[in-house]
Amino acid sequence: MNVTIEGQVFDVQSGVSCRDALKGALSGKKFKNVVACRCNGTPLDLTATVPADTTTIEPVFADSPEGIELIRHSAAHIMAEAVQKLFPGVKVTIGPAIDSGFYYDFDYERPFSVDDLEAIEAEMQKIVAAAHPFTRTEMTKDEAVALFEGMGETYKVEIVRDIPADTVSVYRSGDFVDLCRGPHIPDTSFVKAFKLLSVAGAYWRGDEKNRMLSRVYGTAFADPKALKDHLHQIEEAKRRDHRKLGQQLDLFAFHEDVAPGMVYWHPKGMLLRTILEDFLRKEHLKRGYELVQGPQLLRREVWEKSGHYDNYRENMYFTVIDDNAYGVKPMNCVSHMLIYKSHLRSYRDLPRRMFELGVVHRHEKSGVLHGLLRVRQFTQDDAHILCRPDQLEAEIIGVIALVRDLMGLFGFDYRIVISTRPEKSIGSDEDWDRATNALIGAVATAGLSYTINEGDGAFYGPKIDIKVTDAIGREWQLSTIQVDFTLPDRFDLVYIGQDGERHRPVMVHRAILGSLERFIGVLTEHFAGAFPTWIVPVQARLLTVTDAQNDFAMGARDQLVAAGLRVEADTRNEKLGYKVREAQLEKIPYILVVGDKEVEAGGVNVRLRNGENLGLKTLAEVAEMIRADCQEPFKRGGMSYSFS
RNA sequence: GCCCACAUAGCUCAGGCGGUAGAGCACUUCCUUGGUAAGGAAGAGGUCAUGAGUUCAAGUCUCAUUGUGGGCUCCA
C-alpha cells in the first residue's frame, strides 16, 4: 500500500511494523529520535503493525510536545516499577503525564517523604539503563480484572471495571505491568532526562471522602538540557515568589497568629495599592460607572433572600448582634441590588453601572490559603451593571474594552473563555441563548478570539473568564464577566419601560482585576518586584556621598515631592556603595546620586535600576523623565495618567 | 477539611546519641566622610509557636492545638 510519511509516498508492505515502515523512510539520525507514531491520526506504538487502511504515518519525535508527553507517561511507569521494587506491598493507582511532568499515586502502609525520592530515582536510573522494552497486550476486561486481582492491585481492578470498552490494553516493561491506553516509548532507555520533585497527599479520584494516597511528582524531558531549563524555570518562579518579594520590599505581611489569611498592608504596599485604587476609581468614573459602597454586615434574612444562605453559607462568617443574626458579606451584589431599588427606575435611567472596591470575607479552607493569591479577606474591583435586555451586548462590549485596556496597561497577554449553560441551571432557554449570544457577539465585535467551555457557566447565567499570561508564561485567571438571571428576580428589580409597564432588568457581575490582593500578588511575580514607575511606591531616592550634601538632597527631595513624585532622600552615614546596593535591591527605578560635583552643578547623577548610568541631570529633567516613564504604559490603551 | 514536611532573635538559618542557645544581616552607640551592589568596633536582642506528657534533666523524645509550605484527577 502507498503511505505518506513526512510528505513523501512510500510503498509499505502489509504486516510490517510501524518501526520498520518509518525506518525505511527517515534518516538514521531522525529515526533515532522517534518514540511513537500516528497512523491516520491514531497514536500507535512503534511495535504495532501498520493498520491495513493506513494512508499516512506521522512519526512522533521525542522532542515534540506529544513525544515529551509519552516520555513522561512512560517515566511514570518506570517510577511505579521502581517504587514496587523498593516498597513491596505498595498498590499502584494512576500515573498520568501532566503539563509540567508526571505523577503517580500510590497506596502504601506509610506515606512517602522527600527522603524517599533519592532512592526511587536511583532505582529508576537502573531501569532506564536496562532498556526494558514496553510491550502491549490486549485482553478482555474479565481477563484484566483477573490479572490485577491476582496481583492484588485493587485500584486497577476498580479502574478496569469502570472502562466502558470491551477490551483493554496492558503494558509491560521489565517486571512492571500496568493498565494503560498507550502508546509508549519503545523502551525505558528513551527517558533520557528526569527528576523527581516532590511528594504530596492526594485523594483517590480527587474525592476527599476517599482514601488519601501518596503522590510522587516528577518531570522528564527529551534531553538533559530541556530538563535543566525547566529546573531553572522553577528557580525563576521561586525568585519571583510574591511572598518573598513582599517581605523583601516591605509591601505587606501576615500575622498568622492574629489573622490567618488576611493581609497587613505595610506603608509601601499600601501606597502601591492606593495608587492602583485611585486609578481604578477615576477610570470607572470616566466610563460611566457610579461609585457606591455597601455595609460589611447584613442581616441573615437578606442572605436567605439572595440565595447565599442556601448556596454559600459554608464560606460565610456569621455573628449575632442584639439577638439578630448577621452575615459578613462575601460578595457585593446584594447591596448593589438594594441601591438600585432605592428609586423606581425608568428605561431612560439604564444602564446603571455601580462600582465598588468592595471588601469581602470568604471562609476558605485553611489548606488552600496561599500568600496574597488565596486569602480570606480581599477587595474586589467589583461592579454590577443593570441594563435593559437590548443593552446587554453593548454593555459587555464596554466591559471587554476595559479588560483590554487594563491588561494592556500591565503588559499581560490574555485569552478569553466563554462558558455556556450547565446542566444544573435556572432560567429559560430564551434567556440563556440571548445572554450567551450577547457574550459571543461582544467578544466578536471587539475583534478578539475566544474558546467555548460548554456547560461550565454558573447556574445563574453564562460567563466570560479572562486568563492572563505573565512574564514567565504562567496563566492566571483574573477577570470574570457573568450574566445573572436570578438576583433581579429574587429582589424583584424592575424598571418602567417605554410602554409604561414594569420590566425586569438584566444584571451583569464583573470584576476586572478580580481581587486587588491577588492582582498585586500576580503583578509582583510578573514584574519580579520591579514595578512600573507609575505604580512603584518609591520612584526615586536621592543618595548623598557624604553628609555635606544632606541639605541639598533634602531640598531636592522636597522639590520633587512638590512636583507630585514619590521621592526619598537617604542621608544616612553610610558609604555610597552601600546605599546604592540597598536602593538597587529595593528595585527603585531612579537612583539619584548627590556628591560635591552635583551640588556645584545644581543637579543629580542618575542611575537606573538596571544599572545604567545616565550622568548628570537637572531636577527639572529628572522630574520630566519620571513623568514620561509613568505615561509610557498608558500610551497602549485609551487611558491617561494624572499626577493629582 | 485531609496527607506529608516545617515552626529557634526583626530577617535568613546552625544547633550529633536529651545536659540551661549560636552565626550572618538588620537594630543601638562610637569611630569613619568614604563617588555607584556590603568600612570598622562595641552593645542590645530569644518563655526555642502554644499546651500537656515522658525524664533527675526537653530547643531536642511523645501527643494535642495553632499556623506556614507543598499537594488533594490535567481522569487507564
Side-chain angles (χ1 to χ4, degrees):
Chain A
M1 57 191 161
N2 284 332
V3 175
T4 308
I5 300 173
E6 296 258 280
Q8 275 184 280
V9 179
F10 295 87
D11 182 29
V12 173
Q13 302 300 312
S14 67
V16 158
S17 73
C18 296
R19 182 197 308 269
D20 291 338
L22 287 169
K23 196 170 188 172
L26 301 173
S27 72
K29 198 180 163 200
K30 258 188 153 179
F31 177 72
K32 266 175 74 179
N33 203 20
V34 175
V35 292
C37 65
R38 281 174 172 274
C39 292
N40 287 357
T42 306
L44 285 177
D45 293 311
L46 290 184
T47 50
T49 309
V50 177
D53 56 351
T54 299
T55 54
T56 61
I57 303 178
E58 302 157 69
V60 171
F61 295 106
D63 52 1
S64 69
E66 202 180 343
I68 289 169
E69 195 187 323
L70 291 183
I71 288 170
R72 288 174 178 169
H73 186 192
S74 302
H77 278 230
I78 294 168
M79 179 167 77
E81 181 178 354
V83 168
Q84 274 190 339
K85 279 209 174 113
L86 294 170
F87 307 97
V90 71
K91 288 182 189 175
V92 298
T93 67
I94 59 166
I98 55 175
D99 281 353
S100 59
F102 62 88
Y103 67 81
Y104 214 111
D105 285 348
F106 303 99
D107 185 4
Y108 190 53
E109 59 197 37
R110 67 166 175 89
F112 295 124
S113 81
V114 283
D115 302 329
D116 296 319
L117 296 185
E118 205 179 322
I120 299 171
E121 245 181 47
E123 193 61 39
M124 288 173 71
Q125 291 292 5
K126 284 190 213 163
I127 296 167
V128 168
H132 296 306
F134 282 89
T135 56
R136 177 188 175 101
T137 315
E138 302 217 359
M139 56 182 74
T140 65
K141 272 169 72 173
D142 289 344
E143 286 169 336
V145 166
L147 172 69
F148 288 113
E149 263 177 355
M151 295 191 297
E153 295 289 4
T154 50
Y155 292 93
K156 289 292 174 193
V157 172
E158 193 180 325
I159 296 167
V160 173
R161 291 214 164 106
D162 285 351
I163 293 174
D166 297 331
T167 60
V168 297
S169 55
V170 164
Y171 277 79
R172 269 168 218 278
S173 56
D175 299 329
F176 184 65
V177 181
D178 199 358
L179 176 70
C180 187
R181 183 167 12 200
H184 269 285
I185 55 179
D187 69 61
T188 55
S189 73
F190 279 75
V191 178
K192 301 210 186 300
F194 71 93
K195 185 162 178 58
L196 300 186
L197 297 172
S198 59
V199 292
Y203 297 104
W204 169 234
R205 301 203 153 169
D207 187 338
E208 57 184 86
K209 290 188 207 68
N210 288 339
R211 187 171 160 78
M212 175 67 72
L213 306 172
S214 200
R215 173 173 296 181
V216 179
Y217 281 97
T219 193
F221 287 88
D223 65 274
K225 187 182 174 300
L227 174 64
K228 206 176 144 207
D229 288 348
H230 177 76
L231 297 177
H232 180 77
Q233 166 90 358
I234 292 175
E235 286 305 309
E236 177 65 16
K238 267 191 202 156
R239 192 178 71 78
R240 289 168 177 260
D241 190 317
H242 73 281
R243 293 165 301 182
K244 209 175 166 73
L245 285 168
Q247 188 181 55
Q248 278 167 10
L249 304 179
D250 200 16
L251 300 177
F252 60 86
F254 288 90
H255 293 272
E256 293 87 8
D257 44 346
V258 178
M262 303 188 225
V263 186
Y264 279 80
W265 289 98
H266 289 194
K268 297 257 167 62
M270 193 60 202
L271 185 51
L272 187 152
R273 193 189 141 139
T274 304
I275 294 161
L276 184 59
E277 287 183 358
D278 287 349
F279 166 70
L280 286 173
R281 287 199 189 90
K282 282 183 197 153
E283 197 55 39
H284 279 82
L285 284 171
K286 281 183 199 162
R287 295 178 192 235
Y289 285 81
E290 303 167 291
L291 307 184
V292 297
Q293 185 165 56
Q296 289 302 123
L297 295 171
L298 279 70
R299 288 276 292 272
R300 196 178 90 183
E301 290 78 0
V302 77
W303 297 118
E304 287 168 358
K305 186 173 180 180
S306 69
H308 287 89
Y309 194 77
D310 285 338
N311 296 312
Y312 206 70
R313 193 181 356 174
E314 304 301 304
N315 287 296
M316 288 178 64
Y317 296 100
F318 290 95
T319 186
V320 174
I321 301 166
D322 294 341
D323 296 331
N324 290 317
Y326 284 78
V328 183
K329 70 171 175 180
M331 298 180 195
N332 306 299
C333 33
V334 169
S335 292
H336 295 185
M337 303 278 105
L338 298 177
I339 293 170
Y340 179 89
K341 272 175 80 97
S342 64
H343 294 281
L344 186 56
R345 308 288 181 176
S346 154
Y347 71 95
R348 297 175 210 274
D349 295 333
L350 302 185
R352 309 302 305 200
R353 309 185 187 106
M354 286 176 273
F355 177 68
E356 173 170 358
L357 287 166
V359 177
V360 295
H361 289 76
R362 297 182 184 174
H363 183 244
E364 301 287 352
K365 291 179 180 179
S366 61
V368 305
L369 300 178
H370 181 87
L372 292 179
L373 302 181
R374 200 74 182 270
V375 289
R376 286 181 171 156
Q377 178 195 310
F378 55 98
T379 307
Q380 292 179 300
D381 63 330
D382 198 12
H384 292 91
I385 299 171
L386 287 148
C387 65
R388 305 190 306 259
D390 63 287
Q391 294 171 320
L392 182 59
E393 185 166 332
E395 286 306 304
I396 303 289
I397 288 172
V399 173
I400 288 172
L402 183 52
V403 169
R404 187 194 55 213
D405 291 349
L406 285 175
M407 295 309 156
L409 176 62
F410 293 102
F412 286 119
D413 286 331
Y414 57 92
R415 65 189 181 92
I416 293 175
V417 181
I418 299 177
S419 296
T420 58
R421 183 167 197 168
E423 278 180 33
K424 191 181 155 225
S425 57
I426 56 139
S428 66
D429 285 344
E430 193 194 346
D431 280 344
W432 275 89
D433 287 346
R434 197 185 60 221
T436 308
N437 288 335
L439 295 183
I440 293 171
V443 173
T445 302
L448 299 168
S449 60
Y450 59 92
T451 54
I452 299 264
N453 212 345
E454 286 300 342
D456 204 41
F459 72 92
Y460 50 76
K463 63 174 181 175
I464 297 177
D465 289 325
I466 283 106
K467 298 182 191 283
V468 310
T469 307
D470 73 10
I472 57 171
R474 293 171 303 179
E475 206 170 62
W476 308 88
Q477 195 198 307
L478 303 176
S479 321
T480 180
I481 307 168
Q482 308 185 348
V483 180
D484 190 334
F485 305 125
T486 60
L487 275 183
D489 256 350
R490 282 176 181 264
F491 282 83
D492 192 27
L493 300 192
V494 296
Y495 67 90
I496 306 299
Q498 206 164 3
D499 54 6
E501 300 292 319
R502 291 173 171 245
H503 298 274
R504 191 69 81 210
V506 180
M507 184 165 100
V508 178
H509 305 253
R510 47 113 287 192
I512 311 297
L513 306 186
S515 134
L516 292 189
E517 283 76 3
R518 187 176 151 81
F519 186 74
I520 291 172
V522 172
L523 264 196
T524 304
E525 306 211 355
H526 179 57
F527 291 116
F531 295 104
T533 303
W534 74 275
I535 201 170
V536 75
V538 180
Q539 295 171 321
R541 181 180 288 165
L542 290 135
L543 312 184
T544 52
V545 178
T546 73
D547 53 17
Q549 299 91 37
N550 285 0
D551 287 345
F552 178 88
M554 288 188 283
R557 175 200 58 201
D558 293 346
Q559 236 176 293
L560 291 170
V561 167
L565 304 178
R566 301 185 291 275
V567 182
E568 295 177 348
D570 184 351
T571 56
R572 292 174 306 169
N573 176 12
E574 297 289 354
K575 287 193 160 185
L576 181 61
Y578 183 88
K579 296 183 186 183
V580 168
R581 177 184 146 84
E582 280 200 353
Q584 196 90 26
L585 289 175
E586 287 176 52
K587 301 176 194 284
I588 294 172
Y590 293 88
I591 296 171
L592 311 176
V593 175
V594 188
D596 282 336
K597 279 183 276 180
E598 288 75 22
V599 172
E600 210 172 302
V604 294
N605 205 291
V606 181
R607 177 189 166 113
L608 303 180
R609 64 182 156 192
N610 62 12
E612 192 184 341
N613 207 311
L614 302 185
L616 187 75
K617 301 270 180 196
T618 65
L619 288 185
E621 284 171 333
V622 168
E624 198 33 58
M625 202 161 44
I626 296 177
R627 282 160 173 276
D629 200 4
C630 288
Q631 295 293 358
E632 191 59 33
F634 291 86
K635 289 181 185 162
R636 290 193 284 257
M639 297 180 292
S640 62
Y641 177 68
S642 63
F643 285 87
S644 57

